């Protein structure tokens, strides 16, 4: 079964296009290194909870929208290898000015890797 990296971030609503442009720049690296799919999703029906919710998870402010993204990999081994290669790739170097203009606060991003346990297809 596949392996999935999931991400939730709070993006200033005014930065929607900048976030899309950022993703268009960086997301192809995932595919280049073996991912089978990358999806970036702009929140438009994200309910606020009574105990917890996506907004609280990323300390979203009133002028921010929750973005949910994931990267699908054929396996965890391929993902682990790809992540090591991406971190060594000079195109990903954080000292590069082009890589410093993040359209969101990366410190409030939550992420994790998940092993698929069930997959249903139409």
């Amino acid at each position: 079964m596949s392996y999935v990296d999931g991400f939730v971030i709070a993006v200033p609503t005014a930065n929607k296009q900048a976030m899309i442009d950022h993703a268009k720049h960086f997301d192809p690296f995932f595919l280049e290194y073996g991912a089978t799919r990358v999806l970036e999703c702009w929140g438009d029906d994200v309910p606020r909870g009574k105990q917890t919710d996506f907004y609280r998870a990323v300390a979203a402010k009133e002028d921010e929208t929750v973005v949910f993204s994931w990267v699908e990999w054929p396996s965890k081994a391929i993902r682990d290898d790809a992540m090591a290669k991406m971190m060594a790739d000079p195109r990903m170097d954080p000292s590069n000015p082009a890589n410093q203009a993040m359209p969101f606060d990366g410190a409030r991003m939550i992420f994790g890797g998940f092993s698929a346990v069930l997959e249903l297809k139409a």
Side-chain angles (χ1 to χ4, degrees):
M1 278 208 171
S2 62
Y3 193 79
V4 176
D5 283 316
F7 308 87
V8 180
I9 55 176
V11 177
T13 303
N15 287 358
K16 181 177 182 179
Q17 188 58 52
M19 191 282 304
I20 293 168
D21 293 342
H22 180 82
K24 284 181 178 179
H25 175 76
F26 285 103
D27 288 359
F29 292 118
F30 292 113
L31 298 173
E32 179 181 332
Y33 285 112
T36 57
R37 184 176 184 208
V38 180
L39 211 59
E40 302 283 352
C41 305
W42 190 260
D44 72 357
D45 185 15
V46 182
R48 294 191 182 270
K50 292 187 183 195
Q51 285 190 311
T52 189
D53 58 29
F54 281 106
Y55 298 97
R56 287 184 189 113
V58 293
K61 301 171 185 163
E62 286 300 315
D63 64 341
E64 294 179 323
T65 299
V66 173
V67 172
F68 178 61
S69 308
W70 68 89
V71 180
E72 294 178 11
W73 302 94
S75 68
K76 185 175 189 303
I78 290 171
R79 177 268 209 163
D80 290 347
D81 184 57
M83 287 301 187
K85 288 176 181 174
M86 286 176 65
M87 293 301 110
D89 189 322
R91 297 173 297 171
M92 300 288 292
D93 186 348
S95 67
N96 180 341
N99 296 342
Q100 293 175 359
M102 289 181 41
F104 54 87
D105 179 2
R108 292 186 286 138
M109 174 174 53
I110 59 172
F111 59 91
F114 301 85
S115 296
V117 295
L118 175 66
E119 180 177 354
L120 303 175
K121 293 185 178 183

